[in-house]
Amino acid sequence: MNKLNTLGSRFILLFCAITIPLLIILFLVGSYAKSVVLTQVANSYQNLVNSNLNMIDRSLEDITTNMVDIVNNSDEFQRFGQPGLTDSDYYFAQMELIHRNTTYQSYYHTVDMFFVYSMPNAALYSTNLVGAASGYYEPVRAWIDSSFRRPDLLKQYLYKWSVIRIKDQYFLYRLVSDDLTNNAYIGAIININSLKTPLGNLDVKGGAGVLIVGDDGSVLSNPSAPLSTITKLPPDNIKVTGSFTVEDGASKLLAVNKHSGTAGISYAVVVPNSELLSGLSRFQAVINFLPLLVFAILVLYLFIFRNILFNPIRHLLGAIRRIKEGDMSTRLPNSQIAEFAIINHTFNNMVEEITHLKIDVYEENLRAQQAELKHLQTQINPHFFLNTMNIIFQLADLKRNELVKKTVRHMVQYFRFSLRTKRDAIMLEQELEHIRNYLEIQKMRFQDSFAFEIHVPDDLLRAKLPSLIVQPFVENAMIHGMSVKNAPFILQLSARRVQGEQEMMEIAIEDNGKGMTAEKLAELNDDGYAPDSEDNHIGIWNVKKRLTMQYGNKAELGFYPNERNGVRIRLLLPIDYAEE
């Protein structure tokens, strides 16, 4: 039986069909809630990043405008770049520019250093380096001084803010000069970490931080400790204003980004998803706990339904199976459930009726079998009578009067035995005496062309067996096996004990006659053997029917080729002795 067709399996499938969609809906609701939270947080941080970055971009533009104004309108800047100035003129021009840039530096807090450079005098003058990289004053001045010795690098710094690296720090660098003479330069340098100062006041969660990233995605600023493992962000994402997800090992982080239109950098606030969703922790716990809760409910329901529904049905099926196996004493107990109480009561009444009906049918079949057995026994007598009369006729025809008398005497003894034996079972000794009368008649007919031998131990002579159960095989051996053209026909009849689970008696009839083909032997050994007509081995068919009715499958009957010639018949019967 297919287990999917059982009531329990159908119930589980139905329960799953209801609970699984509910779990999917809850999972989708949880995912949607997370998405909404991430979107709202991203929008909030995006507004803060945009406002602060726009402020920095305006500051960079103001710084550039201020430096351009000095180049175009400051007489001191023009004299600073001219060759041949007296020391006093050069000194006053230098001091005026430094003083002015120092004032601007105090106004533009973003700038870490202003500087001026005179090409004719190869002189660099700068304000102090303040801000996050104040300890890099000398390396910064050395880098600026060396850059003016490479004219090929100056052009890329004249028209835009550029990212440079000095030792392990990144800076924004911008130069402005007179496009006509290029004798004097004014510039500003800003440490990348100084640009984080306006964003340092952002209300970010623990584990979050601000990153400043170059166009290639490399992190330029010094990251906070929680973000120290992040060295690069996706280049395609940082060039577009918006939010995206970053994976740092097993952790997922939300990055809110804006690209600067003034400098080749991007500002990004990076926040771990776990921090953003900390407010949803209880909701997540409920979502994660729901499958266990559903499983526990399923087990509880199965236990309840098992006691209420499945157990009574299983008991009913077990009782039906035992009834099918023949145990008619099976009964179902009373049930506290009204519906099953009615079913159990009806089932018990039905079993009672089947039991009585089975007994009636059994007794009727027994009477029918007994009547059939009597009919089969009486059917053998006229069959043998006709064969015997044929022998007497042949002897009379040959004028063998003495043999006729002897044959008639054996025939009288034979039929006297038949008339006196009305019992279903006789002793083996009586069956052998009956067979001997028959064989004596055959011996008178065939004289030296026929001989027979009977070997039976004395302890088996009182064994019981159905009457006339062996004689048909002896008769068939004489009719179908004897041939006077060859050596004398010899028929042997023997009996012996056979040990096994039950003590049995083996009766063997052997001859050296014509024998049978393999096909005929197979036909006779077939359990469904039936003769084509009443004249073709009717005695064998009778014996098979009687053995089945008497012993069932305990008796055996087999036909085999004899070792010499002819046929060997083996009859195996349970031993049952007649009472004294």
Side-chain angles (χ1 to χ4, degrees), residues 39-49 256:
T39 301
Q40 294 297 327
V41 171
N43 291 336
S44 175
Y45 282 127
Q46 190 71 63
N47 294 331
L48 290 174
V49 169
V256 181

Side-chain angles (χ1 to χ4, degrees), residues 347-373:
F347 177 85
N348 292 337
N349 291 340
M350 181 184 66
V351 173
E352 290 285 349
E353 294 177 0
I354 292 175
T355 302
H356 294 309
L357 180 61
K358 187 175 181 180
I359 293 174
D360 294 340
V361 172
Y362 175 77
E363 291 177 349
E364 183 65 26
N365 288 338
L366 185 61
R367 288 191 293 268
Q369 288 181 357
Q370 290 175 347
E372 184 180 2
L373 184 60

Side-chain angles (χ1 to χ4, degrees), residues 201-397:
N201 296 324
L202 286 177
D203 183 19
V204 296
K205 305 289 183 180
V210 178
L211 297 178
I212 299 179
V213 186
D215 286 341
D216 62 348
S218 299
V219 177
L220 305 178
S221 61
N222 295 333
S224 58
L227 304 179
S228 60
T229 57
I230 300 178
T231 59
K232 194 170 185 178
L233 295 180
D236 295 336
N237 291 332
I238 63 172
K239 294 180 181 179
V240 180
T241 298
S243 60
F244 55 91
T245 300
V246 179
E247 292 188 0
D248 182 20
S251 303
K252 289 187 177 181
L253 305 97
L254 175 68
V256 181
N257 169 74
K258 180 173 175 59
H259 188 264
S260 173
T262 303
I265 57 175
S266 295
Y267 291 75
V269 175
V270 181
V271 187
N273 284 7
S274 58
E275 296 294 335
L276 295 175
L277 301 175
S278 59
L280 295 177
S281 58
R282 292 184 179 179
F283 183 74
Q284 285 180 309
V286 172
I287 295 282
N288 296 332
F289 179 71
L290 272 179
L292 296 177
L293 179 62
V294 169
F295 179 77
I297 293 175
L298 175 60
V299 173
L300 179 61
Y301 278 6
L302 287 178
F303 179 77
I304 294 174
F305 273 87
R306 180 174 177 270
N307 292 331
I308 295 177
L309 184 62
F310 298 151
N311 278 349
I313 292 178
R314 193 177 73 253
H315 293 158
L316 177 60
L317 294 176
I320 293 174
R321 183 168 54 252
R322 290 192 296 274
I323 292 294
K324 182 179 179 181
E325 292 173 354
D327 185 7
M328 301 305 295
S329 63
T330 301
R331 298 293 184 274
L332 290 176
N334 292 330
S335 176
Q336 296 179 353
I337 302 174
E339 290 79 3
F340 281 107
I342 295 173
I343 292 174
N344 293 355
H345 179 71
T346 305
F347 177 85
N348 292 337
N349 291 340
M350 181 184 66
V351 173
E352 290 285 349
E353 294 177 0
I354 292 175
T355 302
H356 294 309
L357 180 61
K358 187 175 181 180
I359 293 174
D360 294 340
V361 172
Y362 175 77
E363 291 177 349
E364 183 65 26
N365 288 338
L366 185 61
R367 288 191 293 268
Q369 288 181 357
Q370 290 175 347
E372 184 180 2
L373 184 60
K374 293 294 184 183
H375 173 71
L376 291 173
Q377 286 179 334
T378 57
Q379 190 177 24
I380 294 177
N381 292 333
H383 185 70
F384 175 69
F385 177 76
L386 292 176
N387 286 330
T388 306
M389 292 301 295
N390 185 49
I391 295 174
I392 295 173
F393 175 79
Q394 292 177 2
L395 291 174
D397 188 54

Side-chain angles (χ1 to χ4, degrees), residues 6-78:
T6 61
L7 185 61
S9 300
R10 295 294 178 88
F11 173 76
I12 294 176
L13 291 176
L14 177 62
F15 187 84
C16 292
I18 297 174
T19 54
I20 291 177
L22 291 177
L23 292 176
I24 293 175
I25 292 174
L26 288 174
F27 177 77
L28 294 177
V29 168
S31 299
Y32 177 73
K34 293 179 183 179
S35 176
V36 169
V37 170
L38 292 177
T39 301
Q40 294 297 327
V41 171
N43 291 336
S44 175
Y45 282 127
Q46 190 71 63
N47 294 331
L48 290 174
V49 169
N50 290 347
S51 62
N52 282 274
L53 182 57
N54 290 336
M55 181 182 66
I56 292 174
D57 282 346
R58 287 193 299 269
S59 178
L60 293 177
E61 291 174 357
D62 290 344
I63 293 168
T64 302
T65 302
N66 174 65
M67 290 190 298
V68 171
D69 181 70
I70 291 176
V71 170
N72 293 332
N73 301 312
S74 175
D75 294 336
E76 288 79 8
F77 182 80
Q78 295 296 329

Side-chain angles (χ1 to χ4, degrees), residues 80-81 90 117-123 148-149 151 154 181-185:
F80 183 73
Y90 186 77
Y117 188 85
S118 174
M119 292 292 288
N121 299 302
F148 282 101
R149 294 184 178 87
L154 293 178
T181 62
N182 286 330
N183 287 327
Y185 294 86

